[in-house]
Amino acid sequence: MTADLNFWLTALVVGITILLWASARLPEYVTALLFFAAAMLLQLAPASSVFSGFASSAFWLVLSGFVLGAAIRKVGLAQRWANWLVVPLSQSWPRMIAGTVLLTYLLAFVMPSNMGRIALLMPVVLAMGERAGIKAGSRGSVGLALAVGFGTFQLSASILPANVPNLVLSGAAESAYQLHLQWLPWWLLHMPVVGIAKGLLLIGCLLFLFRAQPKAMQQRDSLTALSRSEWRLIGLLAITLLLWMTDSVHGLPAAWVGLAAACICLLPRVGFISSDDFANGVNFRTCIYIAGILGVATLVVDSGLGRMIANALLSVLPLQDHPSFSNFAVLNALVSLLNFVLTANGVPAMVTPMAQELANASGFPLLTVIMLQVFAYATPLLPYQASPVVVAMGLGNVPAKAGLQLCALIFLFSMLLLLPLDYLWFRLLGYA
């Protein structure tokens, strides 16, 4: 097969895959399997690229997150923690949604893994909803699940180590330009818009799309003392959280810490869940979907398709040679467009090495071009662009249509309302 034919076949397969995910015409895992089959039958790339998603840390974080979530439910910790939250949060639906979103943001300060936070929070929040009379599978339950997923992914982008795309961006900036991005400047730049304003927008959109009437609880249930299994699981989770929080000290990636914890949960007599619990508690459909998303992103980069798309867009972008809101919006649009084919994890790896060219063309400082990516990749138009959102939808049994509605609504209002605020904040801090 000639190089040109291979290139255009890659573009065709990637385009069809993304279209199927975006339209939800097929179950997401079926589309992922079709992608694997087409890429290998057409010999578009080596198996190491096509199936790279299965070797990625994100895939194993997803799998271990499902196992930890199943263990938390099995031993009763989800119900116990939900019992503590249900009285303050059940007094009204807005309070329950706002409280859930706030929990996702606060937890991001101490726990660096999106997948880990979702695995920890999802069973607790859904159990809290059920305690307040919100039945599983109802619109209210779907809203709570999406509050966990969107709050965890979108708001954590304002905290440097709490989000995989942030770490990719930081690493790419260091390797390409020897820029060492620091926690406090990052947080001060992104917290007001990506953290607080986006959180308020998320709460408003959730309340608009998903309505429920929780039963106001005035007192907590009287529960029995913690069982031996609960104490052991609390100990395991505490150690796991400690290792996740101190990954910069010991150097152990969060994925392998999570995998080790999941293995302990599965051990006979030592662990907490049986083989049947594992089969029922792990959503393998979502795992295959995540591997497919990551495989597509790798294929796009390795084939040169991403570079070609970026250069083609750069050649037609209406950039002025001086800093302006127009240039700021155009560069955000570039990142948003690339997000369709690279997804959030892949965008900073592709855009950051091009940042100097974009800075020269737009008149912005190099650091500004690097940092403005955060708003764009933290605001996906479709759920597949953010794998933690996909995982949350799987854990919470969220219909594809509900996730699409929320994603599109937040994207629309983010571009109309928050993007100008982001530009003004960049200017106030001297970045633009």
Side-chain angles (χ1 to χ4, degrees):
M1 188 187 301
T2 65
D4 284 347
L5 179 59
N6 183 279
F7 181 84
W8 290 112
L9 281 175
T10 299
L12 179 64
V13 169
V14 169
I16 292 173
T17 301
I18 290 172
L19 184 63
L20 287 172
W21 276 333
S23 63
R25 296 303 295 257
L26 290 174
E28 67 285 345
Y29 72 98
V30 174
T31 299
L33 291 173
L34 287 172
F35 161 73
F36 293 137
M40 294 309 298
L41 287 172
L42 296 173
Q43 299 181 339
L44 300 181
S48 57
S49 291
V50 176
F51 296 107
S52 60
F54 291 101
S56 72
S57 59
F59 174 85
W60 293 103
L61 266 175
V62 172
L63 185 63
S64 57
F66 277 120
V67 173
L68 290 173
I72 290 169
R73 289 189 299 271
K74 177 70 180 293
V75 303
L77 279 181
Q79 291 74 19
R80 190 177 292 275
W81 291 339
N83 189 46
W84 280 97
L85 292 172
V86 71
V87 172
L89 297 188
S90 68
Q91 303 308 308
S92 71
W93 180 236
R95 183 184 289 196
M96 185 171 279
I97 286 292
T100 300
V101 171
L102 180 61
L103 278 174
T104 67
Y105 193 51
L106 293 177
L107 194 57
F109 283 96
V110 297
M111 189 173 174
S113 165
N114 272 331
M115 305 300 186
R117 294 196 301 275
I118 289 172
L120 187 66
L121 275 179
M122 187 66 76
V124 175
V125 169
L126 294 184
M128 175 191 68
E130 289 190 34
R131 269 282 281 116
I134 298 173
K135 295 181 180 178
S138 66
R139 291 289 288 176
S141 179
V142 168
L144 287 173
L146 289 173
V148 173
F150 279 76
T152 296
F153 173 73
Q154 295 198 329
L155 309 190
S156 67
S158 64
I159 304 167
L160 177 56
N163 191 305
V164 172
N166 291 0
L167 298 177
V168 174
L169 176 63
S170 176
E174 186 169 344
S175 62
Y177 308 108
Q178 289 72 56
L179 285 174
H180 301 280
L181 304 179
Q182 297 177 315
W183 190 96
L184 186 59
W186 181 295
W187 187 67
L188 290 175
L189 180 61
H190 296 298
M191 172 268 297
V193 177
V194 179
I196 296 174
K198 178 69 74 68
L200 294 173
L201 175 62
L202 172 60
I203 292 167
C205 290
L206 284 165
L207 293 176
F208 175 74
L209 290 175
F210 307 98
R211 293 182 174 87
Q213 187 60 52
K215 181 172 62 177
M217 307 299 292
Q218 302 305 324
Q219 60 182 19
R220 299 182 178 93
D221 287 345
S222 297
L223 299 178
T224 59
L226 286 164
S227 67
R228 187 165 175 267
S229 292
E230 286 176 300
W231 275 117
R232 288 194 298 114
L233 183 54
I234 288 172
L236 176 62
L237 291 173
I239 294 170
T240 304
L241 280 171
L242 181 64
L243 290 173
W244 274 338
M245 292 165 59
T246 57
D247 59 347
S248 60
V249 176
H250 53 68
L252 294 173
W256 315 137
V257 172
L259 182 58
C263 289
I264 293 172
C265 289
L266 292 166
L267 288 174
R269 292 188 295 277
V270 174
F272 310 96
I273 58 178
S274 65
S275 299
D276 289 340
D277 295 326
F278 176 72
N280 295 326
V282 176
N283 190 329
F284 291 102
R285 293 172 41 151
T286 300
C287 293
I288 291 172
Y289 183 17
I290 294 295
I293 291 172
L294 298 172
V296 167
T298 301
L299 182 59
V300 166
V301 173
D302 290 353
S303 67
L305 180 61
R307 175 67 63 178
M308 188 209 75
I309 294 171
N311 288 334
L313 290 171
L314 185 58
S315 67
V316 299
L317 289 177
L319 288 171
Q320 303 164 351
D321 59 0
H322 59 275
S324 64
F325 174 67
S326 172
N327 281 359
F328 194 82
V330 166
L331 292 176
N332 268 275
L334 170 66
V335 179
S336 295
L337 286 170
L338 291 175
N339 206 3
F340 278 96
V341 290
L342 295 169
T343 69
N345 289 354
V347 162
M350 178 62 69
V351 175
T352 305
M354 300 170 53
Q356 188 62 67
E357 302 164 40
L358 295 172
N360 295 339
S362 65
F364 285 124
L366 172 64
L367 186 58
T368 298
V369 175
I370 290 173
M371 296 296 262
L372 65 77
Q373 297 177 67
V374 175
F375 179 89
Y377 65 59
T379 313
L381 176 59
L382 300 170
Y384 81 88
Q385 296 170 316
S387 52
V389 172
V390 174
V391 173
M393 290 172 64
L395 277 170
N397 294 315
V398 174
K401 183 179 178 182
L404 283 167
Q405 287 175 332
L406 182 60
C407 233
L409 194 62
I410 292 174
F411 181 88
L412 174 64
F413 283 107
S414 292
M415 295 306 157
L416 291 176
L417 303 176
L418 301 190
L419 184 61
L421 287 177
D422 202 35
Y423 174 69
L424 290 174
W425 186 247
F426 267 66
R427 286 200 63 180
L428 187 64
L429 295 186
Y431 284 82

